[in-house]
Amino acid sequence: MTTASIYERALGAEFAKLHPRIRQRFGFSSGDGVASIGEGVMERIWYNKWAAAPLWLGTARHIMFPKAGEGVPFTIANYAYEDAFGRETVTWSRRFRFPEGVRKFDATMIYSRQRRRIVDYLGTKQHLAVDLEMAASPHGGILIRSGEQRFYEGPLGFRFPERLTGRAEVHEWYDDEAGRFRITVDVVNPLLGPVFRYGGWFRAATVPMAGRRVPGEAKPTREEFRE
């Protein structure tokens, strides 16, 4: 019996409201042995220069970046696997190819039975855990909003004050007329206002995973058991 995807579990009955292509992209699990690989263009990437310092800190661990541009080539790779703690996990490996070099934005998502929602571990070492709320948007898109954020490092573990966090809203939908996916991402801080955003399009295909193995670059270098 195939395991339900983490997004199907989070959305429940609303999963059926998604566009068929969105259901395909968000509907596979580790038992299916497939991945979703996409390529496209971010039409605009923007960041708030007042937030450049914290964005630079995140660059080393592939959590956003202080870089702006238009017409930036973009790739995204989503692999499903079980992590070391037996949790159904999906990678989000995003690559933005600027003329000066590639910027990376990585995350791994799990479905937390404890929190009864998806938890998004940002970056390569799963130090930053973010609660996600999901809903079907009009015309079959998926809307993802971030909530509480927690930091884990060694024995440390604490919740970030809301004023120090960036609240994200992600909207992904399928454009039937153009035959491609579209996405917008907006990150806002209560004090600074808009911090980071991008929007564009990509085409994605569901492909078999060779040997059901996730490429090492797509997986975190450290896994955190705390959710």
Side-chain angles (χ1 to χ4, degrees), residues 4 14 47 61 65 68 79 85 95 105 128 139 141 154 172 182 192:
E14 281 207 35
Y47 75 97
R61 293 185 177 179
F65 45 82
Y79 297 92
F85 306 109
R95 301 291 179 265
F105 185 9
L128 185 59
H139 312 298
E172 184 176 319
R182 295 199 63 88
L192 295 176

Side-chain angles (χ1 to χ4, degrees), residues 3 7 34 42 45 58 67 74-75 77 81 83 89 92-93 123 133 142 162 164 188 216-217 219:
T3 303
Y7 306 103
V34 298
M42 287 302 107
I45 301 174
K67 195 77 178 170
F74 166 81
T75 61
Y81 67 98
D83 71 4
T89 306
W92 287 77
S93 264
E133 295 292 341
I142 188 167
E162 186 173 352
L164 299 180
V188 177
E217 185 189 22
K219 298 179 73 172

Side-chain angles (χ1 to χ4, degrees), residues 11-191:
L11 282 165
E14 281 207 35
F15 190 78
K17 298 178 182 179
L18 301 179
H19 187 284
R21 293 298 304 276
I22 295 291
R23 287 203 306 270
Q24 182 183 37
R25 241 185 73 67
F26 288 83
F28 63 91
S29 66
S30 60
D32 296 311
V34 298
S36 177
I37 307 298
E39 184 173 358
V41 173
M42 287 302 107
E43 295 161 332
R44 182 169 184 254
I45 301 174
W46 174 91
Y47 75 97
N48 185 334
K49 290 180 170 55
W50 292 103
L55 289 174
W56 268 120
L57 289 175
T59 300
R61 293 185 177 179
H62 301 179
I63 307 174
M64 296 185 287
F65 45 82
K67 195 77 178 170
E70 295 182 355
V72 179
F74 166 81
T75 61
I76 183 166
N78 302 106
Y79 297 92
Y81 67 98
E82 282 193 3
D83 71 4
F85 306 109
R87 302 176 302 191
E88 189 72 21
T89 306
V90 176
T91 71
W92 287 77
S93 264
R94 289 156 283 207
R95 301 291 179 265
F96 304 82
R97 302 189 181 279
F98 292 92
E100 303 82 8
V102 177
R103 292 293 183 267
K104 302 176 180 181
F105 185 9
D106 291 337
T108 43
M109 298 185 186
I110 65 160
Y111 181 82
S112 171
R113 293 187 180 91
Q114 171 190 345
R115 307 184 74 83
R116 300 183 68 181
R117 68 192 64 206
I118 287 177
V119 171
D120 188 11
Y121 290 108
L122 300 181
T124 55
K125 296 189 177 182
Q126 294 195 342
H127 287 130
L128 185 59
V130 182
D131 288 345
L132 298 182
E133 295 292 341
M134 300 199 167
S137 66
H139 312 298
I142 188 167
L143 188 62
I144 304 172
R145 293 187 176 97
S146 68
E148 181 182 296
Q149 301 180 17
R150 299 169 296 282
F151 181 80
Y152 301 124
E153 175 79 62
L156 289 178
F158 60 86
R159 175 183 174 182
F160 273 105
E162 186 173 352
R163 67 182 180 278
L164 299 180
T165 65
R167 295 286 178 148
E169 180 172 294
V170 180
H171 187 202
E172 184 176 319
W173 69 99
Y174 191 74
D175 184 337
D176 280 298
E177 186 174 342
R180 58 195 188 186
F181 295 90
R182 295 199 63 88
I183 186 168
T184 59
V185 175
D186 286 280
V187 181
V188 177
N189 174 268
L191 299 178

Side-chain angles (χ1 to χ4, degrees), residues 199-212:
W201 62 268
F202 62 95
R203 293 186 172 91
T206 302
V207 300
M209 278 171 53
R212 293 179 177 260

